[in-house]
């Protein structure tokens, strides 16, 4: 690739997020960058899109080979607007994140960060979602620089298989335990156990606040949860094709 690649960035933590700023700074060392981000935090929005209200965006920042737009929609809206409205052609790659919080295991299902990457993948654009296993708004990201640059450059140079994007998760920073390396993993099994906290508002009306915890069901050594817990970067090749191919023959035997 002789010309600078064009890179579209999205996220679900909003335009103020430290992770977005870090990813933007890194991508500006590689190519021309267009950021389309959300006005507010859109965590756990999954692949939702805006259909019943107007979508709007505005230019927030502009620099050399760099523009940031802020959109009132969701992460998938940002990606769609990015290459269908704001840009005059498809980007060479879409990168999403860096999310504040893990999107390993079945967190992927809820993730707005990964939904942005999957949306691009559905349109045959190479895409990567990056997440850090820390929910702190002031999380430390500098230990990720080399890994992110290497992953993006590899995708730009080598491409990705059809219908595949990458779900990349990083361990949080630990000065006494540096990252050991990278593992190519499968998506580990797990689920959120919801707890609905029953409360009353000042007028006495009942409402519920969602809480809960994550139950790990799979800590096999080739899974992404194991990688994170043992201080490795996990890379999970991810597809929008949710067909359970292994189950087709079983269902065919039903009396239908």
């Amino acid at each position: 690739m002789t010309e600078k690649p064009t890179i579209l960035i999205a996220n679900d933590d909003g335009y103020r997020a430290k992770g977005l700023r870090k990813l933007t700074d890194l991508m500006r060392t590689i190519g021309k960058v267009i950021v389309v981000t959300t006005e507010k935090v859109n965590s756990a929005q999954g692949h939702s899109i805006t259909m019943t209200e107007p979508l709007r965006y505005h230019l927030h920042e502009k620099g050399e080979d760099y523009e940031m737009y802020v959109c009132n929609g969701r992460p998938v809206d940002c990606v769609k607007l990015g290459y269908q409205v704001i840009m005059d052609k498809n980007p060479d790659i879409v990168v999403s994140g860096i999310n504040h919080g893990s999107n390993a295991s079945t967190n992927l299902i809820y993730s707005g960060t990964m939904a942005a990457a999957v949306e691009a993948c559905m349109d045959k654009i190479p895409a990567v979602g990056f997440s850090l296993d820390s929910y702190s708004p002031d999380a430390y990201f500098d230990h990720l620089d080399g890994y992110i640059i290497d992953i993006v450059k590899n995708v730009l140079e080598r491409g990705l298989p059809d219908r595949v994007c990458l779900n990349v998760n990083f361990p949080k920073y630990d000065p006494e335990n540096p990252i050991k390396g990278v593992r190519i993993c499968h998506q580990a099994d797990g689920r959120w156990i919801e707890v609905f906290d029953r409360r009353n508002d000042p007028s006495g009306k009942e409402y519920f606040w969602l809480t809960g915890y994550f139950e790990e069901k799979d800590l096999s050594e080739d899974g992404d949860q194991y990688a994170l817990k043992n201080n490795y970067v996990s890379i999970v090749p991810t597809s929008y094709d949710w067909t359970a191919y292994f189950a087709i023959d079983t269902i065919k035997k039903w009396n239908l």
Side-chain angles (χ1 to χ4, degrees):
M1 188 175 294
T2 55
E3 293 185 5
K4 279 187 175 182
T6 303
I7 303 169
L8 175 60
I9 301 178
N11 76 330
D12 72 1
D13 288 319
Y15 69 97
R16 295 185 179 91
K18 186 176 178 181
L20 175 72
R21 296 290 174 169
K22 164 57 75 173
L23 187 57
T24 300
D25 290 345
L26 291 175
M27 293 304 98
R28 291 182 72 183
T29 70
I30 296 176
K32 303 174 184 177
V33 173
I34 301 291
V35 180
V36 188
T37 179
T38 56
E39 285 180 340
K40 58 185 180 181
V41 175
N42 274 260
S43 296
Q45 293 296 309
H47 215 100
S48 62
I49 56 176
T50 301
M51 296 182 65
T52 59
E53 59 188 77
L55 269 178
R56 297 185 172 91
Y57 70 90
H58 65 272
L59 180 63
H60 180 69
E61 292 177 355
K62 186 176 176 65
E64 184 178 355
D65 288 337
Y66 163 68
E67 295 171 4
M68 176 186 280
Y69 297 87
V70 176
C71 170
N72 67 330
R74 298 172 174 87
V76 172
D77 295 321
C78 291
V79 171
K80 287 177 176 288
L81 282 172
Y83 58 76
Q84 295 186 38
V85 176
I86 296 171
M87 304 173 69
D88 57 8
K89 64 176 182 178
N90 282 355
D92 295 296
I93 190 171
V94 170
V95 292
S96 184
I98 306 168
N99 190 64
H100 292 247
S102 168
N103 278 315
S105 185
T106 51
N107 289 300
L108 165 70
I109 305 299
Y110 303 96
S111 169
T113 299
M114 279 307 298
V118 169
E119 179 64 29
C121 180
M122 289 168 64
D123 276 340
K124 312 300 183 187
I125 302 170
V128 185
F130 293 107
S131 303
L132 177 70
D133 191 17
S134 170
Y135 291 93
S136 170
D138 196 37
Y140 184 83
F141 290 95
D142 290 353
H143 63 309
L144 313 181
D145 292 10
Y147 293 103
I148 291 175
I149 293 290
D150 286 347
I151 290 168
V152 170
K153 284 186 174 180
N154 267 280
V155 173
L156 286 168
E157 292 170 8
R158 300 169 183 264
L160 288 171
D162 188 38
R163 298 191 291 181
V164 170
C165 59
L166 300 182
N167 180 18
V168 181
N169 284 272
F170 297 101
K172 66 181 178 182
Y173 178 66
D174 182 348
E176 297 182 1
N177 295 293
I179 292 175
K180 296 176 182 176
V182 176
R183 288 197 170 196
I184 312 305
C185 306
H186 73 259
Q187 178 183 310
D189 191 13
R191 72 186 190 99
W192 282 97
I193 307 298
E194 285 83 12
V195 177
F196 289 93
D197 190 7
R198 188 189 304 266
R199 303 179 183 181
N200 292 94
D201 66 21
S203 64
K205 293 182 179 179
E206 185 179 73
Y207 71 95
F208 295 87
W209 195 267
L210 178 62
T211 64
Y213 60 94
F214 191 75
E215 179 182 73
E216 296 172 338
K217 295 184 174 183
D218 175 11
L219 281 176
S220 55
E221 292 189 12
D222 57 351
D224 55 8
Q225 287 290 92
Y226 178 92
L228 285 180
K229 282 185 169 294
N230 288 274
N231 222 28
Y232 288 93
V233 179
S234 74
I235 300 180
V236 177
T238 300
S239 176
Y240 58 83
D241 181 354
W242 287 12
T243 307
Y245 291 97
F246 64 88
I248 289 177
D249 287 341
T250 298
I251 306 303
K252 281 181 176 179
K253 295 174 184 176
W254 288 9
N255 220 2
L256 298 174

